C-alpha cells in the first residue's frame, strides 16, 4: 500500500501543478481535498512511509504555489501542520517531516524574495504545531525543536535578526540543558543524506556549514531568553 499511496500522491502533485499553471482554483481545492483524505487514510492505517511520502509531494506543491498562489501555499502549510499533529502520537516521523516541510517553506519563500508576511505565517504555523506536540511528547518535541533551530540559524545567517528572534521565541520554554543537547546533536551531523533510501534522501538533522556556525550564537541567545523569562 505504501507504494500505491506514493504513486497516487505524485499524480495528485502533477494535477496540482497543472491547476497552478492555469489558475484553476476549484481544481486546486479538489487536489487538496484528495491530499488531505490520503493523509488521513495513512494515519488511520499506520502507514508511516506512505504518509511521509505524501507530505513530501504536498510540500512540493506548496513550494510551487508560493509565487502564484501564496494563499494556497499557506492553506497547504496549515494542513501539513494539522496532519503532522494528528500523526504525532503514533507516527513520529510524519510529524517530524511536517515540521521540516514548514521550515523549508519559510526558507524557500525568503530565498525567492516572497512576501514577508507569508514567511511569518509559516513560522506561526510551525510555532503552533510545536506548541501542541512538544509538551505531550518530549522525544518528538526534540525533533521539532531541531527544525525550529535550523530555521532560526538560517535567518541569523542571512542577517534577518528580527525574524531570527521571532523563531527563537518558539524555544522560550525549552530548558538550557535541552538546548545544549540540541546544539550537540545538530553539530554532530555531517551527512546531508539520510542513511536509508527514501524519496527525500535528505537528513532532517543536517545543517549546511554556515548554518552550523550560527548554532552557538543562536542558541546562546535562546538560553539567555529562557533565563530571563518571568517565573
Amino acid at each position: 500500500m505504501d507504494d500505491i499511496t506514493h504513486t497516487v500522491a505524485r499524480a495528485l502533485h502533477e494535477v496540482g501543478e497543472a491547476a497552478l499553471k492555469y489558475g484553476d482554483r476549484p481544481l486546486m481545492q479538489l487536489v487538496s481535498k484528495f491530499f488531505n483524505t490520503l493523509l488521513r487514510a495513512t494515519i488511520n492505517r499506520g502507514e508511516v512511509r506512505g504518509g511521509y511520502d505524501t507530505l513530501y509531494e504536498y510540500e512540493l506543491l506548496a513550494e510551487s504555489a508560493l509565487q502564484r498562489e501564496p494563499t494556497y501555499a499557506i492553506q497547504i502549510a496549515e494542513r501539513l501542520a494539522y496532519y503532522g499533529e494528528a500523526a504525532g502520537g503514533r507516527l513520529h516521523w510524519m510529524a517530524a517531516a511536517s515540521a521540516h516541510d514548514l521550515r523549508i517553506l519559510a526558507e524557500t519563500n525568503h530565498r525567492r524574495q516572497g512576501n514577508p508576511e507569508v514567511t511569518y505565517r509559516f513560522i506561526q504555523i510551525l510555532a503552533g504545531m510545536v506548541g501542541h506536540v512538544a509538551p505531550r511528547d518530549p522525544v518528538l518535541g526534540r525533533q521539532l525543536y531541531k527544525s525550529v533551530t535550523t530555521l532560526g540559524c538560517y535567518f541569523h545567517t542571512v542577517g534577518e535578526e528580527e525574524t531570527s528572534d521571532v523563531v527563537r521565541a518558539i524555544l522560550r520554554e525549552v530548558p538550557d540543558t535541552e538546548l545544549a543537547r540540541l546544539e550537540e546533536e545538530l553539530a554532530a551531523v555531517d551527512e546531508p543524506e539520510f542513511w536509508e533510501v527514501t524519496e527525500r534522501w535528505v537528513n532532517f538533522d543536517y545543517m549546511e556549514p554556515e548554518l552550523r556556525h550560527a548554532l552557538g550564537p543562536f542558541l546562546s541567545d535562546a538560553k539567555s531568553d529562557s533565563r530571563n523569562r518571568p517565573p
Side-chain angles (χ1 to χ4, degrees):
M1 291 300 295
D2 286 333
D3 290 336
I4 294 172
T5 298
H6 186 226
T7 299
V8 173
R10 182 174 292 176
L12 279 173
H13 176 196
E14 291 176 1
V15 175
E17 293 283 355
L20 288 171
K21 179 179 179 180
Y22 293 105
D24 190 334
R25 290 187 174 87
L27 182 54
M28 292 177 208
Q29 295 306 317
L30 186 60
V31 166
S32 282
K33 283 181 182 292
F34 275 99
F35 259 119
N36 300 339
T37 303
L38 194 57
L39 283 168
R40 175 59 67 188
T42 61
I43 293 170
N44 289 345
R45 292 197 301 262
E47 271 186 36
V48 65
R49 181 184 159 205
Y52 181 85
D53 292 342
T54 301
L55 286 169
Y56 178 55
E57 297 294 338
Y58 211 4
E59 187 273 331
L60 290 176
L61 181 59
E63 282 191 44
S64 296
L66 285 173
Q67 297 296 325
R68 295 175 179 171
E69 298 284 346
T71 301
Y72 184 53
I74 290 172
Q75 178 186 311
I76 293 175
E78 290 170 346
R79 299 296 177 265
L80 293 175
Y82 175 83
Y83 289 104
E85 287 182 34
R90 299 172 57 202
L91 309 174
H92 281 203
W93 280 105
M94 277 186 67
S98 296
H100 171 82
D101 291 341
L102 292 170
R103 168 207 146 197
I104 293 300
L105 285 172
E107 288 185 14
T108 301
N109 193 60
H110 179 267
R111 286 195 181 99
R112 294 179 183 175
Q113 300 182 327
N115 187 334
E117 292 183 6
V118 174
T119 300
Y120 274 91
R121 181 59 187 141
F122 291 144
I123 296 171
Q124 289 174 339
I125 295 169
L126 176 59
M129 180 185 174
V130 172
H132 290 142
V133 173
R136 66 174 186 251
D137 190 333
V139 175
L140 177 56
R142 182 176 305 123
Q143 193 61 45
L144 304 189
Y145 289 140
K146 288 178 180 179
S147 289
V148 171
T149 299
T150 304
L151 181 60
C153 288
Y154 166 76
F155 285 113
H156 176 82
T157 300
V158 298
E160 294 280 353
E161 290 300 335
E162 184 175 337
T163 310
S164 181
D165 289 343
V166 171
V167 177
R168 187 183 294 111
I170 303 173
L171 304 174
R172 186 179 294 116
E173 302 300 322
V174 181
D176 284 0
T177 52
E178 182 68 9
L179 293 175
R181 181 169 179 175
L182 288 173
E183 181 176 0
E184 180 181 359
E185 291 183 1
L186 286 169
V189 177
D190 56 9
E191 290 290 337
E193 293 185 357
F194 191 55
W195 52 83
E196 297 174 6
V197 175
T198 70
E199 291 299 323
R200 298 176 183 239
W201 289 93
V202 66
N203 186 342
F204 287 168
D205 290 355
Y206 175 75
M207 301 176 72
E208 291 83 0
E210 63 272 19
L211 299 187
R212 227 177 302 162
H213 289 318
L215 257 176
F218 176 77
L219 287 177
S220 176
D221 288 342
K223 292 171 186 175
S224 297
D225 288 346
S226 68
R227 286 192 292 269
N228 293 331
R229 67 174 179 257

